[in-house]
Amino acid sequence: MKKTKINKALAFAWIVAISATSIGSTFAAVQIGTGSVSGTGAFDASIMWDETYTAGAASGSVSDIRVLARVLPTLSMEISTGTIDLGTLVANVASTGSLFIEVGTNAKSWLSITARSGSGWLTKTDDNSVQINNLFTDGVDESYTYTSTPNAVNDSNSVWFTASWMLSTEINSNLIENTVYTTNKPEATNWVNDIEFVVWATTTAETPAGNYEDTITFTVTGNF
């Protein structure tokens, strides 16, 4: 009877030892759940447990959750006046008039303003065959030019901001977009005039009397 009890005790101990070994090798880490994103299996990741009842012993992660945002492009141009009046032109004396342009944009690469003459010159209002320009088409050589000057102070917060402008250019075509202002960085609209656009005209003693006119189209373009 005593021998039987001893044998039973040894058998029980052997079973416990085998069970412990089996559990330790088979269940070293157990998946107890899944980290996922609704409707998207690509994000799925196993949540594993190390089989110890210790706080924080189960862990899992879901990676590559995206945060999205959008900034809309902005581009504005304010021109100070709708008329540049050169007044009464006096032979061989340069007459000038100007307007101011303020722009604002968040274009990251560049901004440009161009000016295109509507007729290509100053045209006599009652006879468009008579022009004030540097061509001899009407038999008289005069001068009609555009130029521009940037403000000494810019309204960009970028330390790399640069601007370029237009040197005096004779206008004798209505097909050319004359670049009067370019920048390389965004700039705010602070109502600080960015550029002064200037028109010059010089006649001769033989320039026919009358009223002359041109119309200018300003185009602003931003590279976003």
Side-chain angles (χ1 to χ4, degrees), residues 97-159:
S98 68
L99 54 75
F100 296 90
I101 303 175
E102 162 66 9
V103 292
T105 187
N106 60 1
K108 67 180 181 65
S109 298
W110 54 258
L111 172 144
S112 73
I113 300 174
T114 61
R116 179 173 52 82
S117 169
S119 60
W121 36 69
L122 280 171
T123 303
K124 196 167 184 294
T125 56
D126 60 356
D127 184 354
N128 59 17
S129 67
V130 178
Q131 308 104 23
I132 295 175
N133 57 28
N134 66 336
L135 303 178
F136 287 94
T137 306
D138 60 359
V140 183
D141 176 21
E142 298 122 335
S143 178
Y144 178 52
T145 65
Y146 295 166
T147 188
S148 62
T149 305
N151 196 317
V153 179
N154 68 72
D155 48 16
S156 174
N157 289 313
S158 173
V159 296

Side-chain angles (χ1 to χ4, degrees), residues 2-127:
K2 184 177 181 181
K3 184 178 180 180
T4 302
K5 289 181 177 179
I6 292 172
N7 289 338
K8 287 182 177 180
L10 289 173
F12 178 75
W14 179 249
I15 291 170
V16 170
I18 292 174
S19 299
T21 302
S22 177
I23 292 172
S25 60
T26 304
F27 303 102
V30 179
Q31 181 176 348
I32 60 172
T34 301
S36 62
V37 175
S38 298
T40 309
F43 289 91
D44 288 1
S46 299
I47 296 178
M48 307 302 291
W49 175 50
D50 64 2
E51 296 194 68
T52 60
Y53 288 96
T54 303
S59 177
S61 62
V62 176
S63 302
D64 299 324
I65 300 299
R66 301 169 69 192
V67 178
L68 301 177
R70 184 182 187 192
V71 177
L72 294 176
T74 61
L75 182 61
S76 62
M77 177 172 64
E78 178 73 16
I79 300 174
S80 63
T81 182
T83 302
I84 298 174
D85 190 352
L86 302 181
T88 300
L89 305 183
V90 178
N92 303 310
V93 176
S95 296
T96 183
S98 68
L99 54 75
F100 296 90
I101 303 175
E102 162 66 9
V103 292
T105 187
N106 60 1
K108 67 180 181 65
S109 298
W110 54 258
L111 172 144
S112 73
I113 300 174
T114 61
R116 179 173 52 82
S117 169
S119 60
W121 36 69
L122 280 171
T123 303
K124 196 167 184 294
T125 56
D126 60 356
D127 184 354

